[in-house]
Amino acid sequence: MSRGFCLAIHGGAGTIPAAALNTAAAETYHVALRTALKAGWTVLNRGGAAVDAVCAAIVELENDELFNAARGAVFTSAGQLEMDAAIMNGADRAAGALAGICGPKNPIVAARAVMQKSGTVFMIGAGAEAFLQTQDIQFMPPDYFTTPRRLDALHRELTRRVAGMPDTRSDADRHGTVGAVARDAAGNLAAGTSTGGITAKRPGRVGDTPVIGAGTFADNATCAVSTTGTGEVFIRFTAAAEIAARIRYAGQTLEQAASDVIAELSTHGGDGGLIAIGVTGAPVLPFNSSGMYRGFSGVDGVLHTAIHREAFRQLCQ
Amino acid sequence: MSRGFCLAIHGGAGTIPAAALNTAAAETYHVALRTALKAGWTVLNRGGAAVDAVCAAIVELENDELFNAARGAVFTSAGQLEMDAAIMNGADRAAGALAGICGPKNPIVAARAVMQKSGTVFMIGAGAEAFLQTQDIQFMPPDYFTTPRRLDALHRELTRRVAGMPDTRSDADRHGTVGAVARDAAGNLAAGTSTGGITAKRPGRVGDTPVIGAGTFADNATCAVSTTGTGEVFIRFTAAAEIAARIRYAGQTLEQAASDVIAELSTHGGDGGLIAIGVTGAPVLPFNSSGMYRGFSGVDGVLHTAIHREAFRQLCQ
């Protein structure tokens, strides 16, 4: 199996249903995924670190309002933005995680600053924002993050609740996340995840994204994992760390461990998917939802992207 | 091995050094530990659930200003109180976790409300407090939680920082936590943890306490765990979930898994300890710090308590 560098990304398991996504709209997602893949690949191709490739890919996904992270994040039921993000370096298991923040243009860059500069691992809310203000982090006003599509989704959901109508939201309305995992040329693994959470979530609710071992995890000895889906279930079943444990102690392959964990989450009401990369070989990208915006690329630079259960599109750079 | 009910508690690995703890002061801690043990034991002895025994024991520890949780919690560098707590039920892996809150008299009871009533698992800050205000939860003003001992510790630490003096704080000044694990007569496991964090911590910093799989974890198939120590390291190494994984996939005993994980944390700068209880047998209470306020009790109702590395004191009820 190849030990070469590679990376995988996801733009969330909250995809627009295949029937509602016309060719032009689908192409917009493929382009956005390729842009993020290429940003991460470029870092790896010049010999950069996995943690920097993860950051570079996620920055592109955060900057694109198509995805539920940073610009384009969903709103709480109170109409606020509360973002979560985490990053982990498999080489030394350093980690940085943030919950309930709004301000940094790129929460993943902010999480990296927590990892590298705060002397701690996990920071939340106003205290986290105050720390980040002392760092070399670009802040943006709330208007920057606000998009008509997410405001509309909030209003529809609040109206539905007032009317007492049943919840018929699609995956796309309910959740979304972005993430990346990478293995660099030196064999180091890294993972990162960033999200706005769930449309009309209860203020203060935090999902699995910033929970190390649930939504984000990396260890050079086993794997790097970033998840997307029903965060509550992923937390209770320590989804990402469970994959690592199965590889380390049960002798499972990355593919088997990731697919077993997704199956186990399903039996407990956990919808979603994950991307994972091991010490060798290609990334795996399993999901149990109708789709997951996703992609991967390796040493050859071919950009593979997919949305639902169709075959990956391949684009040679 | 016994499958009877039992529980274990800790009042944190941040103990006063043995040389500085006179007999009368030590007795005060033993009495407080016995009070908490007895509260949990009483629930188990009448056939109550592990999760309720954990709650009952932790409420006593939270109410006692000797320990760093709820009343007696330590202050942030900004002189604020930011409390974290979590509870997990091994029967269904339901969990409730809170970070960065101040208000509920008993954060562990508040965490149980998150688990049972919020429809989510993890809540933080003002959003969490607003949810808890809608629940049957007793709130107290900041004065209730404030104690001269913790204010003094904050002032000493801030003075030291201004003077640029080396950090010579004892474990007792640096951290502290309370926790409980229980197995009830039906064989269900549960774990809970509650803390004020670290004296003069950066506002917004969250340790391992509310991170499911790091500071708090329970699964009927393996074990229930509550930790205390250098939270950052416990998060990065998913301390509690790692013990469960070693039991489940590596075939280790609870005792071996817990002691191996404490040893592994040591090699990465992780100070502290944990309490854990398995499907059968007695609890284990390993630590690598100078002491850990701790105790356990089983069907016979004998209350075992200890502070440093001395033999457990035993008190028949």
Side-chain angles (χ1 to χ4, degrees):
Chain A
M1 283 195 290
S2 163
R3 294 183 58 91
F5 70 77
C6 57
L7 86 157
I9 61 168
H10 69 79
T15 54
I16 294 171
L21 192 68
N22 65 37
T23 310
E27 186 53 29
T28 313
Y29 281 97
H30 282 282
V31 168
L33 291 167
R34 283 182 213 129
T35 301
L37 274 178
K38 192 156 180 185
W41 185 89
T42 302
V43 172
L44 296 175
N45 190 51
R46 67 164 186 253
V51 76
D52 294 324
V54 160
C55 241
I58 292 178
V59 161
E60 296 295 337
L61 296 166
E62 286 180 335
N63 290 350
D64 194 320
E65 68 178 68
L66 287 174
F67 305 106
N68 174 17
R71 181 163 169 78
V74 300
F75 292 90
T76 69
S77 61
Q80 303 293 309
L81 295 161
E82 297 181 354
M83 304 174 198
D84 308 325
I87 193 162
M88 189 162 183
N89 186 348
D92 56 2
R93 292 182 69 146
L98 287 161
I101 62 157
C102 183
K105 181 182 179 195
N106 292 106
I108 195 69
V109 172
R112 187 171 56 179
V114 170
M115 175 171 77
Q116 295 174 337
K117 304 287 183 58
S118 72
T120 189
V121 166
F122 190 11
M123 298 190 74
I124 64 173
E129 291 165 6
F131 162 71
L132 294 166
Q133 290 277 11
T134 69
Q135 301 297 305
D136 184 21
I137 298 281
Q138 188 178 0
F139 274 65
M140 299 297 268
D143 280 0
Y144 166 78
F145 302 104
T146 300
T147 57
R149 173 183 169 200
R150 303 303 189 184
L151 278 176
D152 181 56
L154 173 64
H155 294 147
R156 273 186 287 118
E157 172 58 10
L158 295 179
T159 304
R160 179 191 74 76
R161 290 183 187 178
V162 169
M165 301 291 285
D167 187 353
T168 56
R169 287 176 292 173
S170 69
D171 285 350
D173 282 344
R174 279 190 302 185
H175 49 70
T177 308
V178 307
V181 294
R183 180 178 68 233
D184 63 30
N188 292 311
L189 306 182
T193 317
S194 178
T195 188
I198 300 178
T199 299
K201 68 183 176 186
R202 203 191 275 288
R205 177 265 184 191
V206 177
D208 62 325
T209 293
V211 178
I212 298 300
T216 306
F217 183 80
D219 178 9
N220 276 8
T222 52
C223 59
V225 181
S226 169
T227 74
T228 167
T230 322
E232 283 73 6
V233 181
F234 286 58
I235 292 174
R236 291 165 46 216
F237 289 84
T238 62
E242 176 69 15
I243 294 172
R246 285 165 180 257
I247 294 170
R248 188 164 186 182
Y249 299 121
Q252 289 195 339
T253 62
L254 175 71
E255 187 164 14
Q256 190 65 54
S259 119
D260 284 3
V261 167
I262 287 291
E264 184 179 356
L265 293 169
S266 300
T267 68
H268 298 282
D271 266 349
L274 59 87
I275 53 173
I277 208 161
V279 177
T280 61
V284 299
L285 305 90
F287 57 99
N288 63 20
S289 43
S290 61
M292 179 169 78
Y293 301 114
R294 63 201 186 279
F296 68 93
S297 188
V299 173
D300 64 9
V302 178
L303 309 176
H304 305 255
T305 55
I307 299 177
H308 300 103
R309 297 205 172 266
E310 78 282 6
F312 277 91
R313 288 196 201 172
Q314 298 181 27
L315 186 81
C316 296
Q317 291 190 58
Chain B
M1 284 194 293
S2 163
R3 294 182 59 92
F5 70 77
C6 57
L7 85 157
I9 62 169
H10 69 78
T15 54
I16 294 171
L21 192 68
N22 64 38
T23 310
E27 186 53 29
T28 313
Y29 281 96
H30 281 282
V31 168
L33 291 168
R34 280 181 215 133
T35 301
L37 275 178
K38 191 157 181 184
W41 185 90
T42 302
V43 172
L44 297 175
N45 190 50
R46 65 165 187 253
V51 76
D52 294 324
V54 160
C55 241
I58 292 177
V59 161
E60 296 294 337
L61 297 166
E62 286 181 335
N63 291 350
D64 194 320
E65 68 178 66
L66 285 174
F67 304 107
N68 173 17
R71 181 163 168 77
V74 300
F75 292 89
T76 70
S77 61
Q80 303 293 308
L81 294 161
E82 296 181 355
M83 303 174 198
D84 309 326
I87 192 161
M88 189 163 183
N89 186 348
D92 57 2
R93 291 181 69 146
L98 287 162
I101 63 158
C102 183
K105 182 183 179 194
N106 292 108
I108 194 71
V109 172
R112 187 170 57 178
V114 170
M115 176 172 77
Q116 295 174 337
K117 304 287 182 60
S118 72
T120 189
V121 166
F122 189 12
M123 299 191 74
I124 64 173
E129 291 164 7
F131 162 72
L132 294 166
Q133 291 276 11
T134 69
Q135 301 298 305
D136 185 21
I137 297 281
Q138 187 178 0
F139 274 64
M140 299 297 268
D143 280 359
Y144 166 77
F145 302 102
T146 300
T147 57
R149 174 184 167 199
R150 302 302 189 185
L151 278 176
D152 180 56
L154 174 64
H155 293 148
R156 273 186 287 116
E157 173 57 12
L158 294 180
T159 304
R160 178 191 74 76
R161 290 183 188 177
V162 169
M165 301 292 285
D167 187 353
T168 56
R169 287 177 291 172
S170 68
D171 285 350
D173 281 344
R174 278 190 302 184
H175 49 69
T177 308
V178 307
V181 294
R183 181 177 68 233
D184 63 30
N188 292 311
L189 307 183
T193 317
S194 179
T195 189
I198 300 177
T199 298
K201 67 183 175 185
R202 204 190 274 286
R205 177 264 184 191
V206 177
D208 63 324
T209 294
V211 178
I212 298 299
T216 305
F217 183 80
D219 178 9
N220 276 8
T222 51
C223 59
V225 181
S226 170
T227 74
T228 167
T230 322
E232 283 73 7
V233 181
F234 285 58
I235 292 174
R236 291 165 47 214
F237 289 85
T238 61
E242 175 69 15
I243 294 172
R246 285 166 180 255
I247 293 170
R248 189 164 184 182
Y249 298 121
Q252 287 196 341
T253 63
L254 175 71
E255 187 166 14
Q256 191 65 52
S259 116
D260 283 3
V261 167
I262 286 292
E264 185 179 354
L265 292 169
S266 300
T267 67
H268 297 282
D271 264 350
L274 59 88
I275 53 174
I277 207 160
V279 177
T280 60
V284 298
L285 305 90
F287 57 98
N288 63 20
S289 43
S290 61
M292 178 169 79
Y293 302 114
R294 64 200 186 280
F296 67 94
S297 188
V299 174
D300 64 8
V302 177
L303 308 176
H304 305 255
T305 55
I307 299 176
H308 299 103
R309 297 204 172 265
E310 77 282 7
F312 277 92
R313 288 196 203 174
Q314 300 180 28
L315 186 80
C316 296
Q317 291 190 58

